[in-house]
Amino acid sequence: MELEFERCYRAVDSRDQRFDGWFYTAVTSTGIYCKPSCPAITPKRANVRFYPSAAAAQRAGFRACRRCRPDAAPGSPEWDLRADTVGRAMRLIGDGVVDREGVPGLAARVGYTERHLHRMLVAEVGAGPLALARAQRAQTARILVETTDLGLAEIAFAAGFGSVRQFNDTIKEVYGGPPSSLREAKHRKTPEAGVVNLRLAYRPPLHAPALLEFLADRAIPGIEEVVDGTYKRSLTLPHGPAEVELTPIPGVGAAAHVAATLRLKDVRDLAPAVARCRRLLDLDADPEAVDALLGADPALAKTVDKEPGVRVPRAVDSFETAVRAVVGQQISVPATRTILGRIAKSAGAVGFPDAAAVAGLPDEAFPMPAARRETIRGLARAVADGTVELDLGADREDLVQSLVGLPGIGAWTAGYVAMRAAGDPDVFLPTDLAVRRGAKALGLPDDPKALEEHAAAWRPWRSYALIRLWRNA
């Protein structure tokens, strides 16, 4: 990734929060790296180096600023936008795949050799998969040290370190002191074991009501709900079930955040839980870039001005989202929600059942026409046997093609899954009835072909335009 010095330095000089997560500022005279909005005195040009990732700065020998907490910045929106190998790998690393499967598992998922994947990541983000995973382990460990009563040895293994010595050395190198120094400075006791409270940063503006309304309308009974401005749901994570509560907190600058309470059966799931919650609420987006492009269209200008920062609600469970899309074919949102609740209840799982469980459910678990029931079973079998890949490393184009190859799944369903489960920011569904109604309300053509042609000007943010059309339907 090429970083233009003058542009980066201007962002640092103005403490521009919009660039937090895009790059990191390292200062040679102090040996510290910061996020661009750090309130410290702007360093001299001669002492500044810029890096595309925290891992790259650590690799170059810099330690994290204890004042601005650069590892807590929003992630780069590039990894949600990009569909190439590096983007897919970054999403998988964020979900903890390297800790669970090692670099060989990561390489296998994206379809390249370990050596070639390492070269690509170093070229783009300045660090290989091990260094990137190490930086994430350090951040996870810091959160656990500061917010829980767990012993330091327990934290070391929960964060993914191979030994306590490795944990101590890494924390000292990254944060400039032993793990105990983080606890002395910031430790807050939590009310019960397995509970982690933290703040999820984002780039403002964030239109929280749009997110919460979308999720509330589609909440599956027994699994998720929105109560008094807080989204609550169960999660199925690599090491066990969990529960999460997410509350958007308005504010100016760094004060704006999403308050998250995670109840984890296994604290090793902290990193994937955080990554999935961030993806669900689209917290790594660059709303100013999206709104600038969409707002340039006169038909969308008023809705962009009225509701800045509308995000694309994504997913914590890709299979659940795929089943939701199939069930929702040609029926209302409330009816879809009710049927999904029946399916989940029939499976008896804590969260939404996995593909193998859904494939084995009896006919009475699916209150729908037989053809649609078989479509869901076919989807479940395809996901269970790997014919359809729904994980974060899936190639988006391959995912769409594999979905439409299944009986009963068409372009609308595949597109919905690509947008919410695979995080594609550039999906458009011109045949959707609500999209056409929203387009008509805004003075846009409601003929699918004409609307799709008009929407070409909204690339690469058509998913965000889609949400706005739904809101205006």
Side-chain angles (χ1 to χ4, degrees):
M1 182 189 300
E2 294 294 331
L3 295 174
E4 183 184 341
F5 185 91
E6 284 302 322
R7 186 184 182 196
C8 292
Y9 192 82
R10 285 196 299 270
V12 172
D13 194 35
S14 62
R15 295 170 176 80
D16 196 330
Q17 186 185 2
R18 295 174 300 172
F19 290 91
D20 289 353
W22 275 104
F23 66 87
Y24 296 82
T25 307
V27 185
T28 57
S29 57
T30 62
I32 290 173
Y33 73 91
C34 306
K35 58 187 180 184
S37 65
C38 183
I41 296 173
T42 304
K44 296 179 180 179
R45 290 172 180 266
N47 296 335
V48 171
R49 304 288 184 273
F50 297 114
Y51 294 94
S53 66
Q58 293 170 19
R59 185 168 173 252
F62 295 92
R63 65 182 186 276
C65 175
R66 298 282 287 271
R67 184 174 182 180
C68 74
R69 289 292 193 234
D71 60 348
S76 172
E78 196 166 9
W79 311 130
D80 284 337
L81 175 63
R82 287 172 56 165
D84 62 1
T85 302
V86 171
R88 292 159 55 203
M90 291 296 287
R91 291 192 288 273
L92 288 169
I93 292 170
D95 198 58
V97 167
V98 172
D99 289 334
R100 297 192 297 273
E101 303 176 19
V103 176
L106 174 67
R109 286 188 181 226
V110 297
Y112 282 90
T113 65
E114 296 175 50
R115 180 176 296 181
H116 188 57
L117 177 60
H118 180 87
R119 282 198 297 264
M120 287 190 288
L121 287 169
V122 169
E124 291 286 336
V125 297
L130 282 177
L132 291 162
R134 177 178 178 269
Q136 181 165 285
R137 287 186 204 115
Q139 180 186 3
T140 300
R142 177 184 64 77
I143 292 171
L144 291 173
V145 169
E146 293 179 354
T147 64
T148 76
D149 288 316
L150 289 173
L152 296 180
E154 291 178 276
I155 289 173
F157 295 109
F161 289 97
S163 67
V164 174
R165 180 177 180 179
Q166 185 187 67
F167 163 65
N168 289 332
D169 291 346
T170 299
I171 296 300
K172 185 174 182 179
E173 182 179 335
V174 173
Y175 297 110
S180 58
S181 66
L182 299 176
R183 178 157 284 176
E184 291 168 1
K186 295 286 185 179
H187 181 50
R188 297 179 179 87
K189 289 189 177 182
T190 54
E192 57 186 288
V195 175
V196 180
N197 297 293
L198 64 156
R199 296 158 58 109
L200 305 181
Y202 61 81
R203 296 175 188 82
L206 171 72
H207 198 285
L211 271 173
L212 294 178
E213 288 168 17
F214 186 98
L215 295 171
D217 288 345
R218 294 159 179 79
I220 302 173
I223 292 179
E224 53 185 340
E225 63 178 342
V226 175
V227 179
D228 298 330
T230 295
Y231 173 74
K232 306 176 181 181
R233 74 158 291 146
S234 59
L235 298 175
T236 301
L237 298 170
H239 297 101
E243 294 179 355
V244 61
E245 297 181 7
L246 301 170
T247 308
I249 306 297
V252 178
H257 66 281
V258 171
T261 298
L262 302 172
R263 291 178 173 84
L264 306 169
K265 182 177 181 180
D266 191 320
V267 290
R268 288 179 295 174
D269 283 327
L270 176 60
V274 169
R276 294 177 195 190
C277 290
R278 295 193 64 84
R279 285 182 59 78
L280 173 69
L281 301 184
D282 197 18
L283 297 184
D284 292 330
D286 184 354
E288 292 201 2
V290 175
D291 287 355
L293 187 144
L294 298 184
D297 188 322
L300 297 180
K302 287 185 178 180
T303 185
V304 171
D305 288 341
K306 181 182 177 182
E307 297 184 339
V310 168
R311 309 295 173 106
V312 176
R314 293 195 168 119
V316 294
D317 185 327
S318 296
F319 176 67
E320 173 192 305
T321 302
V323 174
R324 182 191 298 273
V326 175
V327 172
Q329 293 171 354
Q330 300 177 345
I331 65 172
S332 68
V333 170
T336 300
R337 184 176 63 230
T338 300
I339 292 172
L340 290 168
R342 285 272 300 275
I343 294 173
K345 187 176 181 180
S346 297
V350 175
F352 195 81
D354 62 19
V358 169
L361 290 176
D363 289 355
E364 52 267 27
F366 304 96
M368 62 186 68
R372 190 163 302 164
R373 179 181 67 222
E374 292 310 310
T375 295
I376 293 175
R377 283 179 171 155
L379 169 66
R381 288 191 293 268
V383 172
D385 67 20
T387 303
V388 171
E389 294 185 17
L390 285 172
D391 66 29
L392 298 176
D395 182 277
R396 289 166 180 166
E397 290 186 6
D398 290 347
L399 171 61
V400 170
Q401 292 302 314
S402 63
L403 285 172
V404 297
L406 297 176
I409 294 183
W412 183 93
T413 304
Y416 186 91
V417 175
M419 178 178 72
R420 293 201 61 197
D424 190 339
D426 196 37
V427 170
F428 197 64
L429 307 174
T431 62
D432 183 273
L433 182 59
V435 168
R436 294 167 62 189
R437 286 176 177 167
K440 186 175 182 179
L442 294 174
L444 290 162
D446 62 349
D447 172 72
K449 184 176 181 181
L451 181 57
E452 186 168 25
E453 290 176 355
H454 185 96
W458 302 335
R459 287 180 178 275
W461 310 118
R462 290 183 299 171
S463 294
Y464 293 85
L466 190 69
I467 298 296
R468 290 189 176 277
L469 294 182
W470 276 337
R471 288 185 61 74
N472 281 276

